[in-house]
Amino acid sequence: MVIRSKSADDTAFMKPLEIVSILIIAALILVVLPATLDAFRLNLVGKYLTYAFVALGLVLCWGFGGILSLGQGIFFGLGGYCMAMYLKLEASSVANTKIQSTPGIPDFMDWNQLTELPFFWLPFKSLTLTVILIIAVPTLFAFFIGAAMFKRRVGGVYFAIITQAIAAILTILIVGRQGYTGGINGITDLRTLQGWDIRTDSAKQILYFVNGGLLIACILLAQYVKRSKLGRVLVAMRDKEDRVRFSGYSVANFKIFAFCLAAAFAAIGGAMFTLQVGFMSPSFVGIVPSIEMVIYTAVGGRLSLFGAVYGTLLVNVAKTAFSESFPELWLFGLGALFIAVVMVFPNGLAGIYHSYVDPLVARLTRRRPAETEQPLHGAPAE
């Protein structure tokens, strides 16, 4: 084993190329897209960027930690439902619901003959508590799942299948408890946030910038984790788990942390999705959306924080374009894209950049190609 001394570049928060990458993403999200897209398309891109939070968490969880979760829709949905519950209570004031049998409760509760607000809805009358619960509820749920699985050394394909099963169970639970959750229709007719109408074009534009700012903040946090000792332990754990365990580290605790952080990122994305789109339903919680979220990460490059954002945008733009022109062909296109990722460019867009684009740019500018972290299995990491 060759032990390499730690250089200043190893301990730096961000390398020069990574600083350029974050500036390009910030410029694209906060300047270029708002300047070139109309209100409808910009709101559509804002919706796509909420999925990028999930992809970002999967890079840390799956790419660096080796934990493939096929149930990230769970945490995206929980964050979204927490925000939707607050907005629905604000829209269900006594004045707005005076025609109901029981004024002051959401309409779907009245339709299902509930006469009072369920106890678990009460904290969502406060915006402060709602913001806390948006992070706390999905993170605690992820902690319980992770502790139950990782402490028993359940991992790999078994963990992936279990998370998929939990996503299916949660979807069935939400649909079945219609009086408490809105059922198959979800929580709809969300109007205001602290009296501010979120349905107007100007409000959606402001929410887009809030969404973009939060995404950039999450990228910086993920970058910090990646460059820290914790990030290096995650990579080592992914490639040689037993060696890390025998070195005295608690592998289970590191896995739980990575899984909980990915859940928190997904929850923020879910909350912003609810604000920008104006509803939340169980269709964003189940197996299909969870697998699509993994595809976003795979297309961008599961070892690349920046690639996750580009992969999410690329897949969703392609989905919209195909759905508008050839709606019956989109699923075939998605399947072909996933097969191409597995067989042709397994490291996604980031892998293509590091393998082909960066060496070409290096030759043209007469500099050395950017160094990449090389996992033991040979896949280049960003």
Side-chain angles (χ1 to χ4, degrees), residues 274-331:
T274 299
L275 281 171
Q276 292 196 129
V277 178
F279 76 96
M280 175 52 67
S281 79
S283 61
F284 298 100
V285 178
I287 294 174
V288 174
S290 296
I291 293 177
E292 285 188 355
M293 292 166 185
V294 173
I295 293 175
Y296 305 154
T297 308
V299 170
R302 69 186 182 97
L303 300 172
S304 171
L305 297 172
F306 307 111
V309 179
Y310 293 123
T312 302
L313 288 173
L314 175 64
V315 174
N316 281 283
V317 168
K319 179 179 181 179
T320 299
F322 269 92
S323 298
E324 289 176 348
S325 303
F326 312 100
E328 68 281 356
L329 296 179
W330 163 241
L331 289 178

Side-chain angles (χ1 to χ4, degrees), residues 72-82 170 266-267 270 274 280-281 284-285:
Q72 291 304 102
I74 297 168
F75 313 114
F76 184 85
L78 286 175
Y81 266 96
C82 286
L170 185 60
T274 299
M280 175 52 67
S281 79
F284 298 100
V285 178

